[in-house]
Amino acid sequence: MPEAPGLQPDETVHDEAQPQDEPQPLGDAQPPEASDTGWLRVSPKYVLVEVVGSIIGMLVFVGLALGAYFLLHWQWALWVAGAIAVVSLVGIAFEPRRVRSIQYRLRADDLLFRRGIMFQRQVAVPYGRMQLVDITRGPVARALGLADLKFVTAAASSAVTVPGLPMAEADRLRDELVALAESRRAGL
């Protein structure tokens, strides 16, 4: 831009009507997208689904280890069964916190999904890239009135599943996301 008369050589005048190419410093203000509000959590009943799944897995593996101990007389299998039980019980203790960490957020152009306590994952799925929105329900989730909503895009690594949604919310969200995906793809 041309320099205005009376200004120092490194100062320039910016026309307010023209967009500036340079990013403006934010200072202490956070942009609206960076705020941590607007996140929706999954149903608290989903903890029961995770606990039941963990208990079933623990019983299967402890049962296999105990079967090896009693049938094959492998002394070390008893230690393996005990270790599996302890690790599983510690994992079950963390299930409520793990479920609370699962959140999603609908924005203007995409759906954000995040989960994880120690190793956190955050994924943005653009509406225009969604190819399939699928609802699945396991037996325990079905008994509790919950469903999992899965979004599939062209990239195999970007499939996202939001678990533990109430069935009515999952249906509403599926219909809304399909409509958004169709409108975004039509604009491409």
Side-chain angles (χ1 to χ4, degrees):
M1 287 197 143
E3 294 181 5
L7 295 176
Q8 298 297 327
D10 60 338
E11 295 180 5
T12 58
V13 175
H14 295 286
D15 185 10
E16 294 298 324
Q18 295 179 347
Q20 298 177 9
D21 294 331
E22 302 171 352
Q24 296 297 315
L26 295 174
D28 292 334
Q30 292 286 331
E33 295 296 329
S35 69
D36 207 31
T37 60
W39 289 95
L40 302 171
R41 289 196 169 135
V42 299
S43 173
K45 293 190 285 185
Y46 186 64
V47 172
L48 186 58
V49 174
E50 289 291 308
V51 168
V52 168
S54 296
I55 289 173
I56 290 172
M58 177 184 67
L59 291 176
V60 166
F61 288 111
V62 168
L64 288 173
L66 289 177
Y69 172 73
F70 288 119
L71 295 175
L72 302 172
H73 304 292
W74 291 345
Q75 189 66 30
W76 57 268
L78 193 58
W79 290 101
V80 170
I84 291 171
V86 168
V87 169
S88 296
L89 291 174
V90 168
I92 289 171
F94 282 103
E95 289 295 347
R97 176 65 185 104
R98 194 173 304 134
V99 168
R100 279 195 310 271
S101 75
I102 302 171
Q103 299 175 350
Y104 66 98
R105 178 176 164 183
L106 299 173
R107 297 193 305 181
D109 295 323
D110 57 10
L111 176 131
L112 283 179
F113 173 76
R114 70 180 179 187
R115 74 178 315 154
I117 301 171
M118 183 178 247
F119 299 100
Q120 296 178 345
R121 177 183 183 207
Q122 185 165 338
V123 179
V125 182
Y127 299 132
R129 303 280 183 190
M130 288 183 191
Q131 294 181 340
L132 175 71
V133 182
D134 186 23
I135 294 178
T136 58
R137 302 174 70 191
V140 178
R142 190 170 42 248
L144 294 172
L146 300 177
D148 297 348
L149 197 60
K150 182 178 181 181
F151 316 101
V152 179
T153 64
S157 64
S158 65
V160 173
T161 301
V162 180
L165 295 174
M167 190 59 198
E169 175 68 11
D171 282 335
R172 184 196 67 76
L173 196 56
R174 179 198 57 211
D175 295 341
E176 181 179 341
L177 290 172
V178 167
L180 282 167
E182 286 297 320
S183 68
R184 297 300 197 275
R185 276 197 300 266
L188 291 177

